[in-house]
Amino acid sequence: MKTALLALAALAFLGQPALAADPLAGIWRTQPGRDGGFGHVEILPCGGGLCGTVVRTFDAQGQAVQAGDLGAAILADVVATGGGSYGKGRIINPETGRSYTARLTLRGDLLDVGGCIMMICRNAGTWQRVQ
């Protein structure tokens, strides 16, 4: 009986349309910082948008290290604005701690990252999808 119920539940689940994951979700390799080190940022849904956390850090030679920004939330409440663009949330520069209005553009496995404060916008480089 249990097997029949499990089979019916599985069929019902498989018959439902899958919720599409946001194309921005995943792990991204950041642009190298001033010291040549870089990080991996995991972007996941949170609340009504997307958030990003530094999940791995590397030195300039690509060796994993325990940098100070490991575990830092550097993207918050980012939402799709259309045409592969994302914004309205916040991006934090882990080197300075300054917060900006996020400005992201997805181009396949590349993510152009930037932020604006008042009317001044700055490009923070291009991240590459890792996973």
Side-chain angles (χ1 to χ4, degrees), residues 5-30:
L5 288 175
L6 288 174
L8 285 174
L11 283 174
F13 178 75
L14 290 174
Q16 300 296 318
L19 293 175
D22 192 285
L24 195 62
I27 298 178
W28 298 85
R29 177 184 167 152
T30 67

Side-chain angles (χ1 to χ4, degrees), residues 41 62 70 95 109:
V41 174
L70 185 62
E95 290 180 336
D109 285 338

